[in-house]
Amino acid sequence: MSLTNSSSIRRKAPEEIKPPEGLDPPEELETPEELSAPATGTSSASTEETAAVLPVTLSSPRPHRSSVLPRILRAALTGATKSAAIVALLLAWELAPRFGLVDGTFLPPFTEVVEAWWGLVANGQLADNAQASLVRSFSGFGIAVALSVPLGLLIGWYRPVADLLNPLLQVFLNTAALALLPVFVLLLGIGETSKISIVVYACAWPILFNTISAVRTVDPTLLRLAKSMDLSAPRVFQKVILPASVPTIFTGIRLAGAVSIVVLVAAEMIGAKAGLGYLINASQYNFAIPQMYAGIVTISVIGVAFNQLLVVVEKRLSSWRVPATS
């Protein structure tokens, strides 16, 4: 082939060049404009489906109402179960006098007691007497805790001290606090000192003996592990004995909390001019029976609230414990 023919071939436009026979023409390449243009047909359909599904996929999951409703029902059922006995007692209290099952003069219906309680709240008598009782009770209870817990830890940790003091402690433990009330009145008078002292005496023994038992019943495995780590005696007491003793100690403290209110009410019925015990005793003498029951109900509510407060404190101090699994 001559140079002239070859140059003429080179000068021909690309579209004029035909492929050899027997070969399929090559597919046309997409231009940049075609590449940037949106796809049509099936591609557009898939794009629309993706766009429709994307917001659903990226949206945050919402809690199902079907899962929230059983929780509410379980909580309501638990609350109803716990309060069923109290509701039944109040209902029996209300209906028994009205149907003549008991004498309404000595056991008035619960609604009359509530009215009397509201009257005491309105004239300020309930607040004044409750404040006097709470100051005495909490003062004696606090002193008993401050004295009995360290002494119980000492007696439980050192066996010679326990052997020395145990006979004397058993004598005082088996002597009722109310039996010693005249002795406290004779020695300390009928003022605040005797009332707080009788509360201290009554609360000290449950706390003391539960603390001693808590120290002596610590898991021996924990003690062996602590000794294998070459911990000193004070460190063993701080890291092992004291944390393991908290639940049992708080059992005694909760018992003492109930005792502090009961003993104080009995002490206030003898030679007191204020307090819930004085209110109950004075209402009985004046034959104001609904007011007497109002004072009794107030003492019960205070005792339950105080016990629940101690339960919350115990859970905070013993949060390291692993809850038991059923």
Side-chain angles (χ1 to χ4, degrees):
M1 184 181 295
S2 62
L3 294 175
T4 305
N5 295 336
S6 62
S7 60
S8 63
I9 293 174
R10 291 195 186 97
R11 285 196 298 268
K12 288 183 180 180
E15 59 272 10
E16 297 178 357
I17 303 175
K18 296 182 179 181
E21 296 181 359
L23 294 178
D24 296 332
E27 298 179 358
E28 295 183 9
L29 298 176
E30 296 179 351
T31 61
E33 291 81 9
E34 294 175 344
L35 291 173
S36 60
T40 58
T42 307
S43 301
S44 62
S46 60
T47 305
E48 292 176 358
E49 293 177 359
T50 306
V53 174
L54 186 59
V56 178
T57 306
L58 297 180
S59 60
S60 58
R62 297 180 180 178
H64 296 286
R65 293 183 179 180
S66 59
S67 62
V68 176
L69 186 59
R71 296 180 183 177
I72 299 176
L73 294 177
R74 284 195 298 267
L77 181 60
T78 302
T81 303
K82 291 182 178 180
S83 59
I86 297 177
V87 172
L89 174 62
L90 298 180
L91 185 62
W93 188 353
E94 177 68 24
L95 297 179
R98 296 192 181 278
F99 285 96
L101 300 178
V102 295
D103 191 350
T105 304
F106 303 105
L107 183 63
F110 181 70
T111 52
E112 296 183 9
V113 175
V114 173
E115 293 177 0
W117 183 86
W118 183 252
L120 293 174
V121 172
N123 58 28
Q125 294 185 34
L126 187 65
D128 295 338
N129 290 288
Q131 180 181 0
S133 295
L134 290 177
V135 170
R136 295 164 182 163
S137 178
F138 289 166
S139 298
F141 175 78
I143 294 173
V145 172
L147 294 177
S148 299
V149 171
L151 183 60
L153 294 174
L154 179 65
I155 295 174
W157 183 246
Y158 293 103
R159 180 69 62 175
V161 179
D163 296 337
L164 176 64
L165 297 180
N166 186 58
L168 182 62
L169 295 178
Q170 291 295 331
V171 171
F172 284 110
L173 175 65
N174 292 280
T175 304
L178 294 179
L180 296 177
L181 180 59
V183 178
F184 281 93
V185 173
L186 290 175
L187 296 177
L188 304 174
I190 60 174
E192 300 297 318
T193 305
S194 61
K195 296 177 179 57
I196 295 177
S197 299
I198 193 68
V199 173
V200 172
Y201 179 87
C203 295
W205 308 115
I207 301 174
L208 180 64
F209 281 94
N210 275 272
T211 305
I212 296 173
S213 176
V215 175
R216 291 182 177 178
T217 56
V218 175
D219 190 355
T221 305
L222 298 177
L223 297 177
R224 288 194 295 269
L225 290 175
K227 292 179 180 179
S228 66
M229 298 174 64
D230 295 332
L231 294 179
S232 60
R235 294 288 291 176
V236 172
F237 182 81
Q238 178 186 0
K239 296 297 183 180
V240 179
I241 300 296
L242 194 57
S245 303
V246 168
T248 308
I249 292 175
F250 261 90
T251 301
I253 290 177
R254 290 170 58 187
L255 291 174
V259 169
S260 66
I261 298 177
V262 173
V263 172
L264 177 64
V265 170
E268 288 176 342
M269 291 181 177
I270 302 175
K273 296 182 179 180
L276 293 175
Y278 166 77
L279 175 64
I280 295 172
N281 202 29
S283 299
Q284 179 191 7
Y285 283 137
N286 296 327
F287 210 72
I289 305 301
Q291 294 183 359
M292 181 189 73
Y293 282 105
I296 296 173
V297 170
T298 303
I299 292 173
S300 300
V301 172
I302 291 174
V304 172
F306 189 34
N307 181 73
Q308 292 300 315
L309 177 62
L310 293 176
V311 170
V312 172
V313 175
E314 178 185 0
K315 289 182 179 179
R316 292 292 300 272
L317 294 179
S318 58
S319 58
W320 53 269
R321 300 177 64 191
V322 178
T325 56
S326 57

